[in-house]
Amino acid sequence: MMVLVSYDVAEDEGGKRRLRRIAKTCQNYGQRVQYSIFECLVDPDQWVQLRSQLTTIMNKEYDSLRFYYLGANWKNRVEHLGAKKVE
């Protein structure tokens, strides 16, 4: 299934470290399509691992994560215009 992951990390103490860790975790499961947005093509087990890792890293009081479930038929739901076409 395709999951779009977006995040916003506060610039508090430790925020830069959390930001790097969240980005690196997302890179392990997908590809960056915008600065804070990743497309992750994962199976159900990988999705459970990814979500668990991200929620462990984030500070729930200051940061936010958003997950958009595009499912298996995601290619019909994504339109891209402009530079850096995603493969």
Side-chain angles (χ1 to χ4, degrees):
M1 77 175 139
M2 176 65 75
V3 179
L4 192 69
V5 178
S6 68
Y7 54 87
D8 188 24
V9 177
E11 294 183 8
D12 66 334
E13 185 175 322
K16 288 184 180 181
R17 182 173 186 262
R18 288 193 314 275
L19 179 63
R20 284 191 305 271
R21 290 181 64 205
I22 286 174
K24 185 171 176 100
T25 300
C26 288
Q27 286 176 332
N28 290 336
Y29 290 89
Q31 67 179 10
R32 185 187 299 260
V33 294
Q34 297 285 325
Y35 286 116
S36 297
I37 301 174
F38 282 81
E39 289 179 346
C40 300
L41 188 56
V42 292
D43 62 38
D45 290 334
Q46 290 172 322
W47 170 240
V48 169
Q49 291 174 344
L50 173 58
R51 189 178 188 286
S52 173
Q53 289 174 21
L54 292 175
T55 56
T56 299
I57 296 167
M58 74 178 293
N59 181 329
K60 292 183 174 107
E61 290 185 38
Y62 302 108
D63 306 335
S64 68
L65 290 169
R66 294 181 66 93
F67 307 116
Y68 299 89
Y69 305 99
L70 301 179
N73 194 20
W74 64 273
K75 288 184 181 182
N76 294 329
R77 297 179 182 170
V78 175
E79 179 181 1
H80 176 87
L81 301 172
K84 293 187 178 180
K85 185 165 182 163
V86 179
E87 296 178 22

